[in-house]
Amino acid sequence: MIDSHIAEITGLYRYPIKGLTPERLSRVPLRVGKTLPADRRYAIENGPSGFDPDAPQWKPKIQFLMLARNERLAELDTRFDDASHVLTIRRDGRIVASGDLETAAGRAAIEAYFSENFQPELKGPPKVLSGRDHSFSDVARKVVSIINLDSVRAIENMLDGVAVHPLRFRANLYVKGWPAWSELDLVGRTLAVGQARLQVVKRIVRCPATNVDPETAKRDLEIPPTLSRHLGHMDCGIYAEVIADGDIGVGDAVAVEEPKLV
């Protein structure tokens, strides 16, 4: 049972551009029905997807550049500035592209970089997409993703002690204190973090993106098959929806609320 275990947030991340560098946060506001601010706010279209920024609808990740197929993305070090909307891309410590993602000229500068450097992977002209409040998540709902670090350690044991970088899982929240895999039984339960409340809505089925080392950009592990072989499924982590506002931060406790009696 997980109810008696209080978890602690040890890492907090957002991913402003789908498939690009995670950005570490210390504290962040959660709002009902929203993702972390600017999480998956942009994506890089890989060939025509039919996405309409004026009427944004969810599209499968195969329509965009993504680590599951484009591991070279992990070679880039990207930073997004909220105030200026400028994305800066570095490779080997050198700035290789920069642009304001809310202007045509800025988007064109970023698109030109990918057009020149990712040609083998491209199915058409790369295009920076944004849909205002839209989130380019792997699922259609606006969610916060959570990874239990004890489950990551359990995967390391399955791999005979091979180190597994937690950022392979590209979660928003990383927590410690829950027994390995116990988070998978939390679907339908409510998590309390200070004043914030999150309802767990789905287990996360892992894809080949987790096979890519976020530091070396090498596709060096087979995590989904390993999960399937040992557990009979490929789930690791949970999605939750924010149902009550609140600010959360690294070091905060995560409690599982008792179900309401009907």
Side-chain angles (χ1 to χ4, degrees), residues 197-238:
R197 296 293 183 273
L198 301 96
Q199 185 171 40
V200 181
V201 296
K202 193 177 187 298
R203 291 156 59 148
I204 304 176
V205 182
R206 304 322 311 199
C207 75
T210 56
N211 296 336
V212 179
D213 187 308
E215 294 182 334
T216 66
K218 302 297 183 184
R219 194 178 295 274
D220 57 358
L221 295 178
E222 293 188 347
I223 287 179
T226 298
L227 291 171
S228 181
R229 188 165 59 251
H230 286 264
L231 302 177
H233 60 71
M234 296 189 294
D235 302 345
C236 181
I238 49 178

Side-chain angles (χ1 to χ4, degrees), residues 129-225:
L129 298 179
S130 173
R132 296 186 300 277
D133 196 34
H134 182 73
S135 172
F136 292 94
S137 171
D138 286 353
V139 294
R141 305 165 87 157
K142 290 185 178 177
V143 291
V144 174
S145 58
I146 304 171
I147 281 287
N148 176 9
L149 290 175
D150 274 9
S151 297
V152 177
R153 300 291 85 80
I155 295 173
E156 292 180 334
N157 291 334
M158 294 174 188
L159 294 168
D160 297 322
V162 173
V164 175
H165 198 307
L167 285 179
R168 286 178 184 264
F169 300 93
R170 297 180 69 79
N172 297 127
L173 275 63
Y174 290 88
V175 303
K176 68 177 182 180
W178 288 338
W181 310 118
S182 58
E183 71 280 7
L184 300 180
D185 296 325
L186 290 177
V187 175
R189 303 292 298 275
T190 299
L191 307 178
V193 188
Q195 296 299 311
R197 296 293 183 273
L198 301 96
Q199 185 171 40
V200 181
V201 296
K202 193 177 187 298
R203 291 156 59 148
I204 304 176
V205 182
R206 304 322 311 199
C207 75
T210 56
N211 296 336
V212 179
D213 187 308
E215 294 182 334
T216 66
K218 302 297 183 184
R219 194 178 295 274
D220 57 358
L221 295 178
E222 293 188 347
I223 287 179

Side-chain angles (χ1 to χ4, degrees), residues 235-249:
D235 302 345
C236 181
I238 49 178
Y239 287 125
E241 292 180 330
V242 181
I243 59 173
D245 293 352
D247 292 356
I248 66 171

Side-chain angles (χ1 to χ4, degrees), residues 38-83:
D39 189 54
R40 276 85 172 186
R41 178 175 173 178
Y42 302 94
I44 302 167
E45 184 183 58
N46 187 9
S49 67
F51 181 80
D52 182 355
D54 294 321
Q57 298 290 326
W58 180 84
K59 297 287 182 181
K61 61 186 175 183
I62 195 172
Q63 303 283 358
F64 314 112
L65 288 177
M66 57 173 180
L67 284 172
R69 289 193 173 184
N70 316 111
E71 63 266 28
R72 287 200 299 133
L73 294 172
E75 296 176 351
L76 306 177
D77 176 22
T78 63
R79 289 292 179 271
F80 177 73
D81 180 74
D82 291 272

